[in-house]
């Protein structure tokens, strides 16, 4: 009963605390070598205010990707980091240099889940040579049948467009490159 009073109407919003998972790296962009298996580690941290409980690791049912760590993680405390381990085992059915993509999901029972996109490409350590013989209509319609000399030949990765080899054809219309990795490529002349 002392002093002035001021009645004020105030609103506030209370939100339940949740775990917040973050992955390092945020996406998987890697390769696997034909004929060998490889392990890939992913660090997952709970940056939220409460424990992430019963975190289910949902990975697609793929012949070439196997989850090697636990499929359900009982608890990830705030600021705790755990590792998810995947084994990548390319099959004979997979084309070389063709990326395979999808998503992994980490779903805590109490919310705050994340998706982790992946792009994995099967590559080969084997190498070989490539010989390109450049001809045109003149080659087939004249008696001398000359091949095209000085033609620019470019060999590129079919998805990234990275140049694997390039050069000009020689006097005989031939372009040769050695030690090119086994795989599928696009060729432009």
């Amino acid at each position: 009963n002392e002093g002035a009073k001021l009645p004020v109407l105030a609103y506030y919003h209370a939100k339940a605390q949740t775990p917040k998972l973050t992955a390092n790296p945020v996406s998987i962009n890697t390769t696997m070598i034909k004929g060998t298996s490889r392990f890939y580690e992913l660090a997952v941290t709970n940056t939220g205010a409460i424990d992430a409980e019963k975190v289910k690791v949902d990975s697609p049912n793929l012949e070439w990707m196997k989850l090697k760590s636990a499929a359900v993680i009982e608890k990830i405390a705030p600021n705790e980091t755990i590792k998810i381990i995947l084994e990548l085992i390319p099959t004979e059915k997979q084309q070389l240099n063709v990326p395979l993509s999808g998503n992994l999901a980490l779903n805590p029972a109490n919310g705050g889940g994340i998706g982790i996109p992946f792009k994995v490409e099967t590559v080969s350590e084997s190498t070989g040579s490539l010989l390109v013989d450049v001809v045109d209509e003149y080659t087939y319609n004249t008696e001398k049948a000359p091949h095209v000399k000085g033609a620019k030949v470019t060999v590129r990765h079919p998805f990234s467009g990275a140049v694997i080899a390039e050069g000009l054809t020689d006097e005989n219309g031939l372009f040769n490159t050695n030690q090119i990795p086994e795989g599928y490529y696009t060729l432009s002349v």
Side-chain angles (χ1 to χ4, degrees), residues 5-181:
K5 293 183 181 179
L6 176 63
V8 175
L9 180 60
Y11 295 95
Y12 69 94
H13 175 73
K15 185 177 176 183
Q17 293 182 334
T18 60
K20 182 179 179 188
L21 300 180
T22 58
N24 186 15
V26 295
S27 66
I28 300 169
N29 189 4
T30 191
T31 60
M32 55 185 170
I33 298 170
K34 175 183 169 184
T36 62
S37 70
R38 169 181 183 204
F39 291 100
Y40 188 91
E41 286 187 5
L42 186 68
V44 177
T45 304
N46 179 5
T47 59
I50 62 171
D51 292 349
E53 298 171 352
K54 295 189 183 347
V55 181
K56 184 176 180 193
V57 181
D58 288 320
S59 63
N61 186 18
L62 299 170
E63 192 177 346
W64 55 270
M65 180 188 287
K66 304 291 179 212
L67 180 65
K68 289 301 185 179
S69 52
V72 176
I73 301 157
E74 287 301 314
K75 179 180 90 165
I76 305 173
N79 298 317
E80 180 182 8
T81 300
I82 56 102
K83 290 193 181 203
I84 305 272
I85 301 171
L86 301 171
E87 184 177 18
L88 307 175
I89 314 163
T91 67
E92 291 297 319
K93 297 180 220 171
Q94 290 165 313
Q95 291 182 338
L96 297 175
N97 301 342
V98 177
L100 305 166
S101 57
N103 285 292
L104 299 174
L106 302 176
N107 296 307
N110 54 340
I114 59 169
I116 304 164
F118 64 80
K119 184 166 69 171
V120 181
E121 185 177 322
T122 305
V123 296
S124 176
E125 290 183 329
S126 299
T127 59
S129 62
L130 174 67
L131 178 65
V132 179
D133 186 359
V134 180
V135 296
D136 63 6
E137 291 175 3
Y138 193 60
T139 306
Y140 295 106
N141 295 319
T142 64
E143 206 170 288
K144 288 187 176 182
H147 292 236
V148 181
K149 69 177 182 178
K152 183 177 180 183
V153 177
T154 306
V155 181
R156 295 182 182 273
H157 186 279
F159 289 92
S160 71
V163 174
I164 306 300
E166 72 179 341
L168 301 175
T169 56
D170 63 15
E171 292 292 320
N172 299 316
L174 300 175
F175 168 78
N176 187 29
T177 181
N178 294 316
Q179 302 302 312
I180 191 169

